[in-house]
Amino acid sequence: MKAYIFLILWCITLDALTKYLADINLREAISIIPNLLSLQYIENTGIAFSIAITGIFLKILTVILIFIIFWYYWTQEKIKQSAILNVSYSLIFAGAIGNAWERIFKWYVIDFISLEHFSVFNLADSYITLWAIGILYYYSKHKS
């Protein structure tokens, strides 16, 4: 269990550090792979894919969702003792907490990884995506 807590803390720290670096250094977009990948500073006041839900309702929703995910993990998934599930849930906790922290205290989330014609996101968003991939993988191998 200590390893998963360390993973959560490491991912939250890395997410916060990259957002901080984007905040102080990204005043202009930087192309990494032309017409595909760039670094671009965005303040996202909405939810996933910049869907517009703002204000105190979004903060409350964020906190409620984190508690629901934690409760579900603790009561339904943890007992399966699967490394894939534990790592996956560690990633969703890190991603949710990383974005929630900014949303609650800044009213926006810093996004900076831009995939052209898709979205601008951050490491916390990547963790959430990896959680979904991990869950899909686990349940494709362990059909009930």
Side-chain angles (χ1 to χ4, degrees), residues 54-134:
T54 58
I56 195 72
F57 176 74
L58 182 55
K59 291 181 178 194
I60 293 168
L61 179 64
T62 300
V63 172
I64 289 171
L65 286 174
I66 290 171
F67 280 110
I68 289 170
I69 292 167
F70 182 78
W71 172 84
Y72 180 77
Y73 167 75
W74 199 259
T75 62
Q76 304 297 316
E77 303 287 36
K78 184 177 180 273
I79 59 175
K80 295 174 183 169
Q81 298 183 350
S82 164
I84 292 170
L85 285 177
N86 290 336
V87 167
S88 296
Y89 276 92
S90 296
L91 291 171
I92 186 102
F93 295 141
I97 292 167
N99 279 343
W101 179 265
E102 281 195 309
R103 189 172 316 288
I104 290 167
F105 293 104
K106 289 185 173 180
W107 290 87
Y108 62 86
V109 172
I110 295 173
D111 289 334
F112 60 91
I113 303 166
S114 176
L115 287 175
E116 193 162 322
H117 308 297
F118 178 63
S119 185
V120 182
F121 55 96
N122 57 46
L123 287 184
D125 299 329
S126 298
Y127 303 153
I128 294 166
T129 301
L130 290 172
W131 162 76
I133 292 168

Side-chain angles (χ1 to χ4, degrees), residues 34-66:
N35 301 316
L36 178 64
L37 176 67
S38 64
L39 300 178
Q40 175 183 355
Y41 180 88
I42 300 288
E43 292 178 357
N44 181 355
T45 58
I47 58 171
F49 305 109
S50 299
I51 296 170
I53 297 178
T54 58
I56 195 72
F57 176 74
L58 182 55
K59 291 181 178 194
I60 293 168
L61 179 64
T62 300
V63 172
I64 289 171
L65 286 174
I66 290 171

Side-chain angles (χ1 to χ4, degrees), residues 1-10 73-74 78 86-87 90:
M1 191 59 146
K2 289 180 184 179
Y4 302 117
I5 293 170
F6 177 78
L7 177 61
I8 293 168
L9 295 174
W10 170 254
Y73 167 75
W74 199 259
K78 184 177 180 273
N86 290 336
V87 167
S90 296

